[in-house]
Amino acid sequence: APVACLLCDKKLKFKGISVHIHEHFSYFPYRCNDCDFESSQASELEYHIYLTDHNGAKSIDQYKQQEVEDKFN
């Protein structure tokens, strides 16, 4: 059953409520060492690091990139 956020009444799955609350308070404990990217979820940081070489280019391993994108979409 969905849980309502106490701050905005948005309905979320129970497992997603803590990440949602972190975003309300701009609490982003996961930070990239090479740029100013930050996230409330470790998986988003991992995805950022995988896709970015910090020169603006995307990963050239198309099979692995598709595998990762399928995981996150």
Side-chain angles (χ1 to χ4, degrees), residues 34-59:
D34 296 322
C35 70
D36 61 356
F37 179 85
E38 54 188 21
S39 175
S40 58
Q41 298 181 60
S43 60
E44 287 181 353
L45 177 59
E46 291 168 3
Y47 189 59
H48 163 78
I49 290 169
Y50 178 79
L51 292 179
T52 309
D53 69 1
H54 304 285
N55 291 317
K58 299 281 185 181
S59 169

Side-chain angles (χ1 to χ4, degrees), residues 15-70:
K15 68 180 185 177
I17 196 76
S18 65
V19 169
H20 177 75
I21 300 261
H22 286 169
E23 292 170 354
H24 273 297
F25 292 102
S26 298
Y27 177 65
F28 303 111
Y30 303 99
R31 293 184 174 92
C32 180
N33 292 327
D34 296 322
C35 70
D36 61 356
F37 179 85
E38 54 188 21
S39 175
S40 58
Q41 298 181 60
S43 60
E44 287 181 353
L45 177 59
E46 291 168 3
Y47 189 59
H48 163 78
I49 290 169
Y50 178 79
L51 292 179
T52 309
D53 69 1
H54 304 285
N55 291 317
K58 299 281 185 181
S59 169
I60 57 171
D61 184 350
Q62 296 299 318
Y63 173 76
K64 184 67 175 170
Q65 183 175 343
Q66 185 63 45
E67 185 177 66
V68 171
E69 286 174 353
D70 289 346

